[in-house]
């Protein structure tokens, strides 16, 4: 009864916040321990998402390409009380991903949430100098990586009651954003990163259409309307938002209820144009 009452209150608050033009981050937890795999979880957005979901009592499978850094991050989270398992995971390697699946299966027979967070910025090579090799290296992490990991973990996701997949994208992958000359990202002349995130957005939509029982959604850690982005290693910590603010939409999508949306693209303020 208490859970029903809490849900009703949260829904009422959410409706009221929408009427006022604001968003309400509603976090619901299951009575059974929820499991999540986060790629690139040893730092930045991935680590903060792991910390926040760990505080909810979730089992966190923390994916990290570098085993030493991953273990250090996992130890830090565990010291804070999180139930965390470090998973050595290179999203560009079929063998590494297969090993990750085997490790996760030793701990659980289902995966409730997959957060495809691992990303590569590339070298910001101007279009005039960009080569297929440069673009391919970025796509290997930002596009093929999420496909490789998602495909490998689909059986575990399907086994969950209401599985969710969160794609960590970027405002730079939005055609709507790129068509707006006031957006700062339009001044960053490169091909690899922005096009890889645009591809990831389309992949998200196609997955959502093909798997109606799995919620596939994309998010950007910035505030598109306010021309803000999150401070991470990828931008030398020059962003105006904290990693906690940047992970707000990750947490929102990761904690969706069974009747939540699928095939959407959001930031912490609301929907973002594709």
């Amino acid at each position: 009864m208490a859970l029903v009452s809490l849900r009703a209150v949260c829904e009422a608050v959410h409706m009221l916040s929408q009427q006022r033009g604001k968003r309400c981050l509603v976090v619901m937890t299951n009575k059974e321990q929820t499991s999540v795999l986060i790629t690139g979880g040893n730092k930045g957005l991935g680590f903060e998402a792991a910390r926040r979901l760990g505080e909810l009592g979730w089992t966190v499978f923390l994916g990290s390409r570098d085993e030493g850094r991953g273990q250090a991050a996992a130890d830090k989270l565990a010291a804070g009380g999180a139930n965390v398992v470090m998973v050595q995971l290179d999203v560009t390697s079929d063998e590494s991903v297969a090993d990750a699946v085997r490790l996760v299966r030793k701990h659980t027979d289902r995966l409730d949430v997959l957060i495809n967070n691992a990303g590569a910025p590339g070298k910001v090579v101007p279009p005039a100098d960009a080569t297929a090799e440069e673009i391919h290296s970025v796509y290997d992490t930002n596009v093929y990586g999420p496909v490789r990991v998602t495909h490998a973990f689909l059986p575990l996701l399907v086994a969950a009651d209401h599985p969710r997949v969160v794609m960590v994208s970027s405002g730079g992958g939005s055609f709507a954003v790129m068509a707006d000359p006031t957006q700062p990202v339009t001044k960053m002349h490169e091909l690899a990163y922005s096009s890889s995130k645009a591809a990831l957005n389309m992949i998200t939509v196609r997955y959502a259409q093909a798997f109606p029982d799995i919620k596939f959604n994309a998010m950007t850690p910035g505030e598109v309307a306010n021309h803000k982005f999150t401070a991470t290693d990828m931008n030398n910590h020059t962003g105006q938002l904290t990693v906690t603010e940047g992970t707000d939409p990750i947490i929102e999508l990761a904690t969706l209820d069974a009747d939540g949306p699928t095939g959407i693209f959001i930031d912490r303020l609301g929907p973002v144009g594709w």
Side-chain angles (χ1 to χ4, degrees), residues 23 33 60 76 103 151 184 198 200 204 206 230 234:
R23 291 174 66 80
Q33 197 166 46
V60 177
K76 185 175 181 180
L103 176 58
H151 178 265
L200 180 62
T204 303
R206 299 301 283 164
T230 298
M234 192 173 290

Side-chain angles (χ1 to χ4, degrees), residues 92-128:
T92 69
S93 166
D94 289 333
E95 181 179 0
S96 178
V97 172
D99 287 342
V101 172
R102 284 190 285 271
L103 176 58
V104 172
R105 280 190 177 278
K106 290 181 180 179
H107 295 270
T108 181
D109 60 357
R110 62 180 171 84
L111 182 66
D112 296 292
V113 179
L114 168 62
I115 300 176
N116 283 305
N117 168 72
K123 300 176 182 177
V124 195
V125 178

Side-chain angles (χ1 to χ4, degrees), residues 112-148:
D112 296 292
V113 179
L114 168 62
I115 300 176
N116 283 305
N117 168 72
K123 300 176 182 177
V124 195
V125 178
D129 301 320
T131 64
E133 181 180 4
E134 153 68 7
I135 292 176
H136 184 274
S137 66
V138 176
Y139 272 54
D140 203 17
T141 299
N142 296 357
V143 182
Y144 312 142
V147 171
R148 186 177 285 112

Side-chain angles (χ1 to χ4, degrees), residues 38-194:
I38 306 174
T39 67
N42 62 288
K43 64 177 182 178
L45 295 168
F47 180 81
E48 180 64 5
R51 183 192 67 78
R52 295 179 67 178
L53 294 173
E55 287 185 345
L56 296 181
W58 289 24
T59 295
V60 177
F61 294 99
L62 189 141
S64 175
R65 182 176 58 181
D66 185 283
E67 186 173 1
R69 294 175 182 175
Q71 192 58 59
D75 290 344
K76 185 175 181 180
L77 291 172
N83 181 18
V84 57
V85 177
M86 200 287 290
V87 180
Q88 197 283 321
L89 177 55
D90 179 354
V91 302
T92 69
S93 166
D94 289 333
E95 181 179 0
S96 178
V97 172
D99 287 342
V101 172
R102 284 190 285 271
L103 176 58
V104 172
R105 280 190 177 278
K106 290 181 180 179
H107 295 270
T108 181
D109 60 357
R110 62 180 171 84
L111 182 66
D112 296 292
V113 179
L114 168 62
I115 300 176
N116 283 305
N117 168 72
K123 300 176 182 177
V124 195
V125 178
D129 301 320
T131 64
E133 181 180 4
E134 153 68 7
I135 292 176
H136 184 274
S137 66
V138 176
Y139 272 54
D140 203 17
T141 299
N142 296 357
V143 182
Y144 312 142
V147 171
R148 186 177 285 112
V149 174
T150 301
H151 178 265
F153 280 92
L154 271 175
L156 284 173
L157 287 165
V158 170
D161 291 335
H162 58 279
R164 290 135 281 167
V165 177
V166 181
M167 302 291 197
V168 177
S169 186
S170 168
S174 162
F175 282 88
V177 171
M178 283 301 191
D180 179 359
T182 68
Q183 290 287 348
V185 70
T186 63
K187 309 301 189 297
M188 185 178 72
H189 301 300
E190 54 77 54
L191 294 181
Y193 183 76
S194 56

